Amino acid sequence: RALASVPEEDRRAIDAAWRGARAGEPFDLWHRIRHADGHLLTVHQRGLILSTADRRASTGVAIVQDVTAQHDAERRIEDLATLNPVSGLPNRSFLLDRIAASLTAPESPRDGLALLTVGIPQVKQVRDSLGYALGDALEAALAARLAQIMLPGELLAHLGDGDFAILMGTRASDGEDGVLELARRFKAALAHPEQIGDTEVFPTHAIGLACWSDGLTGPRLLECARSAMQQELREPAGGVRVFSSQSNQALIRRMSVEAALRHALERDELELQYQPQVDLRTGTMCSVEALLRWRSATIGEVLPSEFIPVAEHTGLIVSIGAWVLTSACRQASEWRRAGMEGLRVHVNISAIQLARTDVARQIQSLLSEYGLEPGLLGIEVTESVLTRDLPTASRALGALRALGVKISLDDFGIGYSNLTTLKSLPIDVIKIDRSYVHDIMAPPEDVSVTRAVITLAHSLHMKVIAEGVETSGQLALLIANRCDMMQGHFFSQAVPAGQIAALWRDGRTLPMQFVDRAARQRTLLLVDDEENILASLKRLLRRSGYRIVTAPSAAEGLMRLSEVDVDVIVSDQRMPGMTGVEFLRRAKELYPETIRIVLSGYTELQSISDAINEGAIYKFLTKPWEDDLLRANIEEAFRQKEIADENRRLDKEVRAANLELASVNERLQRALASQLEQVSLAEGRSSGAREALFNVPAALIGLDDDGMIAFVNAECANEFVELPGLLGGDARTALPAEFLPVVEQADGRSCRFEFDGRAYRGTTRSMSSDGARGRLICITPLDVPRGRSI
């Protein structure tokens, strides 16, 4: 009967225990039994078989004890030790036990063992911003999604804080296809958002993979997978990041850099160096960029490209950025006191600084502390700063620009800036990336892109500075395309502050061929592979007053163009390596303002006519030439060039004037708005004062500076009802004769007078210190009529 209350699946164990029992030897087992009310209990049964002396008969005795509470507690302890409390999935301890079992089991295919870790950063973000309850709810919901996509043979473990691990086991033998198939399932499971409270969360994830190899233990395999996952989180590649020894070394290096960077400020290990920025109109240094350098006492010199991302990731960039701003302002102040007037210092600002700190107030305080004009400080931000939080960045930069600080957009062209965003931002200078700085042998389309960027910036009334300029050819192309400033090793690398002062004192400039090109001599470039032709042309044109430069090939001609500012080019057509038409096409792309002429005895009409039609060639002249005609055509080419130069000069002046006018209009608008605000405040104060005077319990008469009655309060009107229509009249004629002594007395004086049988005292007060704003007369009765009170 008792056996009928035992669940059927437990009866076999009880039957087996009693059948296998020996007389006189107790045994015990755990099983379940159903209570009378229907719920299951866990019991501990101890059994014993008793035999008679002759062993012919036996009796079974059993003691059953209810151990449900003890059993549930033990199971709870086991669950706490092996399951994650948020999701109920196996935890790290359980995962490591399963990996160890797989590695020690003889039948387990170790070569097919692979571990994936999945990181979902939104879990920690929600927990930090919205609280633990909502963070746990999101984590539980995402865990349920992942559990639904698991297949037989795969173990899903929950490591906490949005991190999960999947032990693939034998399915990893499918190789790359198996991993990619699992990654696709992850993407599908996390494709749609999760509603957490009033917030819709869009989960993203990073996957790291580590495969077993000789010598790897369970904990080490997990570390490798998480290392790959962390690298994918930092540098998303859109797939599965596979662990390698190089990535592990990179992780260890990053941890070392972070640990050392936390002590860099207190150990005084940071240093600022400054790279000159040169005005291409004058060839002189106009500003410098402050560049951060770090030499750690423990790990040596660390490049900015390595430690700046670590500083941003850890938040150390806020304190480091504050140190950079303070040091740069202090240095700018020292340079100004040393006589280096007008040298602006540019400082880079990170997105975190713009988001976390009041940069405008901080910079305003520094400018005041070091006595700097705002125009001596420039702020540089990259495109990536703008894409993170455009509204916040725009407000912060607008506040800085309102102070008078110059704003530069760094690395332009390699990010995601669009024209609408660029036009609306408070940007003064666009700094084009070094990838847009080309040499003379660059493809024409690349040079066209650079020219388009410069033209775009100028059309938005912004200046352009090119960084990474290292050769004369690069500089010549930038000048030809009307770039405003340059920065790079061609002028100077980044150097300590003392060397900047030395460059300033020495008057360091660009080479003279790049400076003051407007006043240069007319320059003609002759390109021909026959020396006798070049000699003949030079003799013919010697008396024309031109500066003549020659080149024996098209390649040499391109070199001359990078070295000399050329007005007119005369080139042969048939030359080795590159024809004259090809050379002049390249010259047009690189130096579009030159006038280009072909002089040849070979009439390849199709290519030449095509070049003329597309504007690569101004004229085609044949050999042998007629001296006077050739001289006339070259002279006409120079006149065309000078007309075009003058038009460009006028256009530049007009654009500069328009820019200055726009700036003046902007300042006037701000001044007008300020004045209107002051007028509004003054009107408010005046209205309040007028109302207060109108209700003063004393008779008041206000006179303007010409003696006209401009104000009469209520008490005056009540006291002197027999004197209507005073406003607007001259006080000397509108008021009775008895009032004249009061009107004519000096400021601050008072006198007694009588009117209509009553005695009064009249006191005069000026409305301003110089009396230019009129006077106020206060009249008080000396004898109070019955029924009235004062």
Side-chain angles (χ1 to χ4, degrees), residues 276-278 280 429-434 436-437 450 454 464-469 474 478 483-488:
Q277 297 175 338
V278 181
L280 293 181
V429 180
I430 283 181
K431 195 171 185 180
I432 58 177
D433 185 69
R434 64 181 63 243
Y436 285 87
V437 177
T450 303
I454 296 173
V464 181
I465 180 170
E467 61 179 344
V469 181
Q474 292 173 340
L478 291 170
C483 185
D484 300 294
M485 292 169 283
M486 62 78 67
Q487 174 180 346

Side-chain angles (χ1 to χ4, degrees), residues 202 221 261 361 417 592 638 719 779:
F202 290 82
L221 185 66
L261 189 59
R361 182 173 298 177
S417 289
F638 275 108
E719 181 70 31
I779 301 173

